[in-house]
Amino acid sequence: QGWLTGKWTSANALRFRAMADSNWWEKCVLGITVLGYALLAFNAFLNRRNRLKVSEQSKTMSECERCSVELVRGLVPQAKVPDYRFRGMRLKMPAIRVGFDNVGVKLKSNGRCILQGVTGEFRPKRVAAIMGPSGAGKTTFMNALCGRAYYGTTSGEIRINGHVSSIAEIKQLRGFVPQDDIVHEHLTVREQLYYSARLRNAEKTSKQMINSIVEDVLNVMQ
């Protein structure tokens, strides 16, 4: 009986130790989860405070700009002063001529050709419209032209101002608007433009210049 009692006590001790180890692991997981949520809440608080700060700075800058323009116009009525002075965007951009010869796309999955023999040119200071019925290949052509046809193999030749190149070489001067919205729904308009400017401009572009570009775009959009 003593041997059975001792064996039963040892089994209970092992079982209790296993439960304690399991509880310790669960507590660690719970603590890490709570810490993660706390960090997310703190980060959201900092982002909100930063949004308000940047918004106030933008309002102050706009007010100073308006007062300066009114002061100059009051002192020198004949002077031609623009309502807004661009600080980041380049107003005088070089003319871009995009040519393409025999552009085609073949699917990587089965090798089927979905676009073939598209040739033409986009001239500067002109508006070009790509028209056709549904399924004609308009979106496929634009994806191939902009290097976004990841689902297939692109063929043909693309020229920028007469030189064989790609649209990626002029990413600072072009924009691609897809059929579906790809913006982050939880970001403000300013944050969307900020991240877009970070991606489009050179890596060494200063934060002040990025903010100036965002201010210029917001002014144009208003």
Side-chain angles (χ1 to χ4, degrees), residues 74-115:
L75 296 176
V76 189
Q78 65 275 16
K80 295 182 179 180
V81 183
D83 293 332
Y84 181 82
R85 181 170 59 90
F86 289 86
R87 297 176 175 83
M89 296 175 59
R90 294 181 297 173
L91 298 183
K92 294 183 179 180
M93 297 182 180
I96 301 296
R97 183 186 298 268
V98 180
F100 41 91
D101 292 327
N102 200 27
V103 175
V105 176
K106 289 185 177 180
L107 295 178
K108 294 180 179 179
S109 58
N110 54 16
R112 186 166 64 92
C113 181
I114 58 176
L115 187 71

Side-chain angles (χ1 to χ4, degrees), residues 68-203:
S68 300
V69 171
E70 292 180 355
L71 178 61
V72 173
R73 288 176 177 175
L75 296 176
V76 189
Q78 65 275 16
K80 295 182 179 180
V81 183
D83 293 332
Y84 181 82
R85 181 170 59 90
F86 289 86
R87 297 176 175 83
M89 296 175 59
R90 294 181 297 173
L91 298 183
K92 294 183 179 180
M93 297 182 180
I96 301 296
R97 183 186 298 268
V98 180
F100 41 91
D101 292 327
N102 200 27
V103 175
V105 176
K106 289 185 177 180
L107 295 178
K108 294 180 179 179
S109 58
N110 54 16
R112 186 166 64 92
C113 181
I114 58 176
L115 187 71
Q116 183 178 6
V118 182
T119 301
E121 185 181 49
F122 295 149
R123 299 179 181 179
K125 300 181 181 180
R126 300 285 184 90
V127 176
I130 303 175
M131 304 176 65
S134 178
K138 303 182 297 296
T139 303
T140 302
F141 167 65
M142 291 303 300
N143 288 335
L145 189 65
C146 297
R148 300 174 61 92
Y150 309 116
Y151 45 83
T153 302
T154 304
S155 60
E157 187 177 85
I158 298 175
R159 302 184 310 276
I160 306 296
N161 290 337
H163 303 284
V164 178
S165 182
S166 66
I167 299 296
E169 299 296 329
I170 56 172
K171 65 178 182 178
Q172 296 181 356
L173 306 178
R174 59 91 175 168
F176 186 92
V177 181
Q179 291 180 333
D180 301 323
D181 293 335
I182 57 174
V183 295
H184 200 291
E185 61 180 1
H186 297 295
L187 297 180
T188 63
V189 176
R190 178 184 296 276
E191 290 171 339
Q192 302 280 4
L193 295 175
Y194 176 79
Y195 290 120
S196 178
R198 287 286 302 274
L199 293 173
R200 288 178 177 273
N201 289 273
E203 185 178 357

